[in-house]
Amino acid sequence: MLSLIDLKVGQDLPGRVKQITQDDINLYAKASRDYNPIHIDPAFALQTPSGGTIAHGMLVLALVSQMMTEAFGLNWLSGGHFNIRFKTPARPGDVLTIRGRIEKIEIQGRQTQIVCSVSCANQNHESNITGEALVKADIPSP
Amino acid sequence: MSEPPKLKYFQLTVGFEFPPQSYTLDSAIVDLYLEATRYASELYRVEKLVPPMAVTAYAMLALSQSVTLPSGTIHVSQELDFIKPVKTGDTITCCSKVSRKVDRGGLRLMNIDISVTNRSSELVLTGKVGFILP
């Protein structure tokens, strides 16, 4: 977890790289109970404009949330904010790179607000997700 | 008892509130979610908190159990505020409301506001989901 005192504007968050497989998507469908055939039925998905199955957007966003949890711990769970857009869907076999960068740090009294840009892109550098994540946290006493 | 029929897009108007849905996020549900997302933070494994995106997934499930959106609907945007952690075993209640519906020049946009409370009726999560419909 990052130390709130040492954060700097321009600092990269610890990123993640993850390959998405159809097994991951199938398991996420079970966990989220989202069995939309566009995610889990290759024969159905082939007949749609996507031309094949795609990962749940919320599965991909969960990977971005994991990066925020790694960076900010409990502060993310009790003061986190996402404002994101879904771009290109992730497909089975894609290798996703999740990145975050601190864009702004605002301090008001004992509380700090950290604004980060976040993104997820595939191996072809196509954006899956772009947007902003914001964390509010109390600054620890020295 | 049979479930009520799902609503269709054309039946939705701005301000429409979907029936609240409640789910108990027990350890089996949370463990499955952690396995599916391959993430083992101590906050979840040791402190037994529920990943906020798992709570979000159930808020989305509540929505999908209430309405059928046309094939080709795209989930384009998501805002979320994680207000308070949810503990494994807690029962959450998910509410949602249509906050915007625009039909203009063949482009159909809809936003749905979501909110989730815990067993003590404390607000734990709010958000806004954006859809483009065919």
Side-chain angles (χ1 to χ4, degrees):
Chain A
M1 205 173 100
L2 302 177
S3 163
L4 290 177
I5 294 170
D6 299 331
L7 296 180
K8 291 182 175 58
V9 171
Q11 181 177 343
D12 289 328
L13 305 182
R16 304 171 76 82
V17 176
K18 182 176 183 340
Q19 183 164 35
I20 291 283
T21 66
Q22 187 62 54
D23 285 347
D24 292 328
I25 297 169
N26 294 345
L27 196 54
Y28 184 83
K30 194 174 168 191
S32 64
R33 294 164 59 185
D34 180 349
Y35 298 104
N36 186 327
I38 194 71
H39 303 304
I40 57 170
D41 184 341
F44 170 88
L46 196 59
Q47 305 303 316
T48 68
S50 72
T53 57
I54 57 174
H56 304 73
M58 302 303 277
L59 168 57
V60 181
L61 187 55
L63 304 178
V64 183
S65 183
Q66 288 174 8
M67 174 184 68
M68 297 302 292
T69 306
E70 286 292 308
F72 299 106
L74 195 56
N75 288 316
W76 176 243
L77 275 65
S78 57
H81 170 84
F82 263 142
N83 186 2
I84 64 92
R85 295 192 74 78
F86 293 107
K87 305 284 189 177
T88 305
R91 298 171 182 278
D94 278 358
V95 178
L96 305 181
T97 300
I98 295 99
R99 289 196 171 95
R101 185 173 189 266
I102 298 174
E103 301 291 349
K104 200 187 301 182
I105 300 172
E106 296 169 340
I107 297 173
Q108 292 183 328
R110 298 295 310 161
Q111 198 174 62
T112 184
Q113 182 167 279
I114 303 133
V115 181
C116 306
S117 56
V118 293
S119 66
C120 175
N122 66 17
Q123 66 282 0
N124 300 320
H125 308 291
E126 296 167 315
S127 283
N128 306 110
I129 286 176
T130 60
E132 186 176 89
L134 185 153
V135 189
K136 290 178 185 165
D138 291 328
I139 300 169
S141 301
Chain B
M1 199 171 74
S2 63
E3 292 182 4
K6 287 188 184 182
L7 293 156
K8 300 270 179 13
Y9 170 76
F10 69 86
Q11 295 176 285
L12 304 177
T13 54
V14 173
F16 178 85
E17 294 185 22
F18 296 90
Q21 306 268 6
S22 293
Y23 308 96
T24 298
L25 301 180
D26 60 24
S27 56
I29 285 175
V30 176
D31 287 350
L32 182 60
Y33 184 88
L34 294 176
E35 186 187 351
T37 54
R38 288 200 228 153
Y39 189 51
S41 166
E42 286 194 356
L43 291 170
Y44 311 135
R45 297 280 184 206
V46 179
E47 298 187 35
K48 298 292 180 190
L49 299 176
V50 181
M53 290 303 298
V55 178
T56 308
Y58 271 77
M60 298 298 289
L61 172 65
L63 196 56
S64 70
Q65 288 180 327
S66 299
V67 63
T68 301
L69 297 176
S71 178
T73 297
I74 303 170
H75 181 179
V76 286
S77 64
Q78 184 80 57
E79 283 182 46
L80 290 167
D81 277 294
F82 306 135
I83 297 163
K84 190 178 174 70
V86 174
K87 292 178 182 162
T88 298
D90 204 345
T91 299
I92 58 167
T93 299
C94 306
C95 300
S96 41
K97 183 169 88 171
V98 179
S99 58
R100 180 177 180 232
K101 194 177 174 193
V102 177
D103 289 15
R104 193 168 46 209
L107 185 65
R108 298 199 291 173
L109 308 171
M110 183 168 65
N111 288 347
I112 295 179
D113 291 350
I114 57 174
S115 64
V116 181
T117 52
N118 63 15
R119 186 180 285 147
S120 305
S121 302
E122 297 168 311
L123 196 60
V124 295
L125 181 149
T126 60
K128 185 185 291 290
V129 192
F131 295 105
I132 292 181
L133 297 101

